[in-house]
């Protein structure tokens, strides 16, 4: 297993629409394992393949406190959303340090495959439902900040670009003793 680099907003690759997985093979299982390792190392609860620059319809999630309930969704589709809505602060591994309120369906039903190709239906509510919707947005090339006002989105973009420039400058500058 290996940790994968996570793309950071406003990287344009985050807006790539993922294509369906066609082969349930060792490469897919390796991607899933690497995505879990990456997500756990980054202290996240969900990760879409798009975020690690793999543009296939794969999501990994674990919202458990103990980090022992891994969920794999391959080629997921939301087939039902509750009319009840919930607004909660969302964060994203691709938008580090930024949290803001997003409104989503309180509950969802998702049809997907697991990493072995077995079809499954998942009913989720609360945090798991929000996480599923957030990660499936990534597969459509959408980042949660796009739900925010243009003013907030531009401030976030400017802040993250400044952070990235500072990090690049630190990497280039020689260490002085």
């Amino acid at each position: 297993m290996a940790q994968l680099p996570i793309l950071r907003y406003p990287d344009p690759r985050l807006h790539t629409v993922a294509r369906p997985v066609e082969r349930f093979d060792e490469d897919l299982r390796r991607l899933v394992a690497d995505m879990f390792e990456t997500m756990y190392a980054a202290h996240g609860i969900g990760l879409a393949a798009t975020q690690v620059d793999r543009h296939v319809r794969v999501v990994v999630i674990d919202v458990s406190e103990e980090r022992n309930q891994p969920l794999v969704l391959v080629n997921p589709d939301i087939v039902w959303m509750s009319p009840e809505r919930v607004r909660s602060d969302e964060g994203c591994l691709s938008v580090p340090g930024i949290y803001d309120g997003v409104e989503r369906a309180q509950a969802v039903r998702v049809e997907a495959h697991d990493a072995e190709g077995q079809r499954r239906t998942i009913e989720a509510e609360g945090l798991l439902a929000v996480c599923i919707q957030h990660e499936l947005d990534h597969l459509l090339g959408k980042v949660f900040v796009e739900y925010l006002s243009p003013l907030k989105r531009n401030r976030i973009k400017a802040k993250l670009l400044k952070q990235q420039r500072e990090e690049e400058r630190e990497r280039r500058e020689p260490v002085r003793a």
Side-chain angles (χ1 to χ4, degrees), residues 143-159:
V143 181
F144 89 96
V145 296
E146 294 172 44
Y147 289 101
L148 308 178
S149 72
L151 177 62
K152 279 188 177 181
R153 196 168 44 247
N154 287 334
R155 285 182 178 163
I156 290 168
K157 184 185 290 187
K159 178 180 179 178

Side-chain angles (χ1 to χ4, degrees), residues 18-77:
R19 65 187 182 285
V21 170
E22 295 177 2
R23 293 182 23 219
F24 294 82
D25 57 10
E26 187 54 38
D27 288 340
L28 174 63
R29 288 185 285 284
R30 187 175 314 107
L31 173 62
V32 166
D34 291 348
M35 286 175 63
F36 271 117
E37 182 172 337
T38 303
M39 179 189 76
Y40 288 138
H43 307 289
I45 61 171
L47 186 68
T50 301
Q51 294 175 270
V52 293
D53 204 20
R54 307 286 174 81
H55 303 286
V56 291
R57 294 184 54 79
V58 177
V59 166
V60 298
I61 294 173
D62 189 343
V63 297
S64 69
E65 291 284 327
E66 301 80 17
R67 313 302 272 162
N68 63 356
Q69 295 176 17
L71 176 63
V72 177
L73 302 175
V74 179
N75 297 334
D77 287 306

Side-chain angles (χ1 to χ4, degrees), residues 9 14-15 78 81 85-92 95 98-105 108 129-154 156:
Y9 182 81
L14 288 168
H15 299 294
I78 295 175
M81 299 173 108
R85 310 290 286 176
V86 61
R87 183 176 186 83
S88 56
D89 276 353
E90 289 188 23
C92 181
V95 190
I98 305 295
Y99 298 87
D100 212 317
V102 176
E103 186 176 292
R104 302 222 186 240
V108 295
V130 168
C131 187
I132 288 171
Q133 292 168 82
H134 176 109
E135 299 307 332
L136 269 58
D137 274 353
H138 279 299
L139 300 181
L140 299 172
K142 189 169 188 173
V143 181
F144 89 96
V145 296
E146 294 172 44
Y147 289 101
L148 308 178
S149 72
L151 177 62
K152 279 188 177 181
R153 196 168 44 247
N154 287 334
I156 290 168

